[in-house]
């Protein structure tokens, strides 16, 4: 299968990271297609800068002014995934791609309600020790309020030097399921390895059923998945429940490799850019034909939607759970000469049937609502997990039970 380098498909930040992007080089040479118009804009910027220098009462940092103008330019595009990063922000963005970073140990998502939502809390992380829970909303960092469209700025602050602390305020649903309460926390920053795979083997009705939860598609996930899969196969696994719930996405190469493992020759995903150019990613002829079902929910996004969409469209596995998030666009990373960079939406992707994902999502074959007790998926509390129980039932039926 063809490799396209570092391509990321993700929705969230692993206090932490998430986006969809190629990485390419770029310099600051502004070769305009309409030089007279661009020159006028540049002259206006110089004039405004001169007005500030002559009239503004207070001192200011020219670098901050410059970076702020670039951030504003990108923000006015109206696409939350297209952003400018300062040198420090871009460095922090890149460090998470290998599955390690210094931070508090959560995955957060820009929720549709406009908040920064915690979708995963890593076991043994400072966030877990401080009491953060899946479903919490982070509303303040170091006393400043942040909304979903400021998520990357909030995450950049939560990450930082090891053995330092960060103050956050979380908004949590109370037990009555109707009211929220705000909780102030002080959370340590540490070197965090993102644990992207969770696996187990269970014996049910004389069948050995494997369970693999892919929490995100980081660089380390490919090898970790293969190790977990081999371990389960060596232990006699006869069927697999593949869990993509709360998975925001990640590396396209990793996603394609896992899809290729379970699919014979055919389309996995297609992408189309603004010029109408279509790129098709395909699986080869070899496949592992183990019986399987796939779990998704409203927090399954981007690369998770590519994988579940391909397995559904190719009739390889039944998809169980809730309709996915609906992030079906691709970003490209542009590192700049001074260490800063930009992330720009460049194309949209579709499932093998041609179905659109962006703002639509992948519909499960069988829709199942989970109970409140089953929401903390990483805890593997299968007895309270209605979605898992349905996926298991469908798998056993498929296996002839």
């Amino acid at each position: 299968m063809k490799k396209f380098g570092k391509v990321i498909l993700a929705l969230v930040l692993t206090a932490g990271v998430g986006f969809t992007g190629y990485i390419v080089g770029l310099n600051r040479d502004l070769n305009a297609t309409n030089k007279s118009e661009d020159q006028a804009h540049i002259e206006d910027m110089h004039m405004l800068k001169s007005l500030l220098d002559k009239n503004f009462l207070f001192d200011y940092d020219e670098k901050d002014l410059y970076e702020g103008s670039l951030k504003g330019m990108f923000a006015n595009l109206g696409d939350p995934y297209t952003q400018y990063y300062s040198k420090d922000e871009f460095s922090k963005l890149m460090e998470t791609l290998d599955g390690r970073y210094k931070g508090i140990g959560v995955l957060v998502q820009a929720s549709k309600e406009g908040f920064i939502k915690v979708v995963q809390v890593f076991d043994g992380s400072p966030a877990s020790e401080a009491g953060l829970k899946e479903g919490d909303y982070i509303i303040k960092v170091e006393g400043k309020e942040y909304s979903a469209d400021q998520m990357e700025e909030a995450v950049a602050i939560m990450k930082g030097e090891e053995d330092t602390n960060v103050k956050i305020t979380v908004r949590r649903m109370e037990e009555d399921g109707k009211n929220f309460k705000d909780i102030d926390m002080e959370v340590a920053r540490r070197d965090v390895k993102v644990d992207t795979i969770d696996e187990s083997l269970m014996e049910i009705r004389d069948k050995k059923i494997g369970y693999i939860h892919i929490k995100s598609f980081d660089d380390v996930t490919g090898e970790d998945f293969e190790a977990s899969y081999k371990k389960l196969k060596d232990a006699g696994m006869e069927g697999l429940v593949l869990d993509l719930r709360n998975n925001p996405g990640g590396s396209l190469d990793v996603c394609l490799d896992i899809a290729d493992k379970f699919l014979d020759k055919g389309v996995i995903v297609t992408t189309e850019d603004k010029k109408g150019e279509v790129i098709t990613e395909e699986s080869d002829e070899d496949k592992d034909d183990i019986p399987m079902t796939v779990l998704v929910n409203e927090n399954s996004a981007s690369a998770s939607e590519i994988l579940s969409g391909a397995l559904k469209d190719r009739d390889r596995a039944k998809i169980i759970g809730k309709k996915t998030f609906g992030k079906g666009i691709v970003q490209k990373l542009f590192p700049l000469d001074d260490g800063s960079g930009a992330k720009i939406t460049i194309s949209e992707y579709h499932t093998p049937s041609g179905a659109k994902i962006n703002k639509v999502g992948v519909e499960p074959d069988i829709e199942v609502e989970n109970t409140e007790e089953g929401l903390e998926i990483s805890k593997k509390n299968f007895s309270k997990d209605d979605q898992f129980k349905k996926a298991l039932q469908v798998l056993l039926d498929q296996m002839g039970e």
Side-chain angles (χ1 to χ4, degrees):
M1 188 171 59
K2 190 174 181 181
K3 292 289 186 181
F4 288 88
K6 180 81 73 178
V7 181
I8 308 298
L9 299 134
L11 172 68
V12 300
L13 293 150
T14 320
V17 71
F19 61 96
T20 302
Y22 299 89
I23 298 178
V24 299
L26 187 71
N27 58 38
R28 292 188 180 276
D29 181 22
L30 301 177
N31 293 315
T33 55
N34 187 337
K35 291 188 178 180
S36 59
E37 185 176 339
D38 283 354
Q39 186 62 38
H41 291 160
I42 292 171
E43 290 173 358
D44 286 344
M45 290 174 65
H46 283 303
M47 180 186 70
L48 290 169
K49 172 67 167 51
S50 177
L51 286 173
L52 285 174
D53 289 340
K54 293 176 182 178
N55 297 284
F56 187 58
L57 177 61
F58 305 107
D59 293 334
Y60 68 90
D61 188 310
E62 289 193 9
K63 183 180 179 182
D64 289 343
L65 185 69
Y66 174 70
E67 289 184 345
S69 67
L70 292 175
K71 285 182 178 292
M73 179 175 70
F74 278 69
N76 283 334
L77 294 170
D79 174 19
Y81 306 111
T82 296
Q83 295 187 327
Y84 168 80
Y85 297 86
S86 68
K87 179 179 180 179
D88 184 54
E89 291 168 342
F90 197 73
S91 175
K92 290 179 179 179
L93 178 71
M94 296 301 295
E95 75 177 9
T96 312
L97 300 184
D98 65 359
R100 298 197 70 92
Y101 67 95
K102 290 178 175 62
I104 66 173
V106 295
L107 276 169
V108 295
Q109 171 178 306
S111 74
K112 294 178 180 178
E113 297 79 20
F115 298 103
I116 301 171
K117 182 179 181 180
V118 176
V119 294
Q120 284 184 36
V121 180
F122 301 134
D123 291 339
S125 68
S128 176
E129 294 167 2
L132 264 78
K133 297 181 178 181
E134 294 173 9
D136 284 346
Y137 296 101
I138 296 175
I139 59 171
K140 292 182 182 179
V141 181
E142 295 293 356
K144 180 180 176 182
E145 292 188 0
Y146 288 93
S147 59
D149 58 359
Q150 300 168 304
M151 183 173 68
E152 298 196 11
E153 181 182 347
V155 165
I157 296 172
M158 285 188 280
K159 295 164 64 177
E161 292 298 319
E162 191 170 8
D163 297 325
T164 60
N165 295 338
V166 59
K167 294 178 181 179
I168 64 172
T169 301
V170 303
R171 183 161 292 169
R172 178 177 296 168
M173 178 70 72
E174 297 200 72
E175 292 183 4
D176 61 11
K178 298 178 181 179
N179 300 302
F180 288 92
K181 62 180 177 181
D182 292 351
I183 306 169
D184 293 326
M185 298 181 177
E186 187 164 340
V187 189
R189 299 183 180 100
R190 289 205 301 264
D191 187 45
V192 176
K193 180 182 183 297
V194 180
D195 181 13
T196 65
I197 297 291
D198 193 10
E199 38 94 342
S200 61
L201 186 69
M202 58 203 80
E203 189 163 339
I204 302 173
R205 292 184 241 167
D206 297 324
K207 299 289 186 183
K208 290 187 176 181
I209 305 299
Y211 168 83
I212 296 180
H213 182 199
I214 305 177
K215 301 175 184 179
S216 61
F217 293 94
D218 292 346
D219 287 351
V220 298
T221 305
E223 290 184 5
D224 289 350
F225 178 83
E226 282 300 320
S228 291
Y229 190 80
K230 183 178 185 303
K231 175 182 175 182
L232 294 176
K233 283 283 259 188
D234 289 346
M237 176 175 64
E238 301 169 83
L240 173 66
V241 177
L242 182 64
D243 194 347
L244 300 178
R245 292 175 296 177
N246 289 356
N247 183 325
S251 168
L252 176 60
D253 280 345
V254 172
C255 172
L256 293 176
D257 283 344
I258 293 174
D260 185 40
K261 183 178 187 67
F262 298 111
L263 294 169
D264 55 13
K265 188 170 181 58
V267 174
I268 299 175
V269 66
T270 60
T271 61
E272 183 174 0
D273 65 17
K274 67 187 298 182
K275 298 176 182 178
E277 181 180 350
V278 175
I279 297 175
T280 301
E281 308 282 4
E282 295 186 344
S283 49
D284 59 27
E285 295 178 355
D286 298 328
K287 76 167 183 177
D288 188 315
D289 60 1
I290 189 171
M292 64 187 297
T293 52
V294 179
L295 285 163
V296 297
N297 67 4
E298 62 275 12
N299 296 322
S300 304
S302 206
S304 297
E305 295 172 293
I306 287 179
L307 180 54
S308 57
L311 294 172
K312 178 185 178 182
D313 281 6
R314 300 274 299 273
D315 294 321
R316 178 60 181 87
K318 292 295 183 184
I319 312 299
I320 289 85
K322 298 289 290 182
K323 185 170 74 171
T324 62
F325 186 90
K327 182 185 182 290
I329 49 179
V330 180
Q331 284 76 47
K332 180 185 288 187
L333 276 180
F334 295 86
L336 300 172
D337 288 345
D338 67 351
S340 64
K343 172 166 62 72
I344 301 174
T345 297
I346 60 165
S347 61
E348 185 173 19
Y349 60 80
H350 300 82
T351 68
S353 67
K356 178 178 178 178
I357 292 176
N358 199 44
K359 298 182 180 180
V360 176
V362 175
E363 291 278 359
D365 295 298
I366 302 171
E367 184 169 347
V368 180
E369 185 80 49
N370 236 357
T371 61
E372 189 70 22
E373 294 91 338
L375 290 179
E376 292 195 51
I377 293 160
S378 62
K379 305 308 178 187
K380 294 190 292 185
N381 197 357
F382 297 137
S383 65
K384 296 182 179 180
D385 191 336
D386 296 334
Q387 292 170 339
F388 172 80
K389 288 188 287 187
K390 185 63 176 180
L392 180 61
Q393 175 193 324
V394 171
L395 178 60
L396 291 171
D397 288 345
Q398 179 184 339
M399 296 169 68
E401 287 295 312

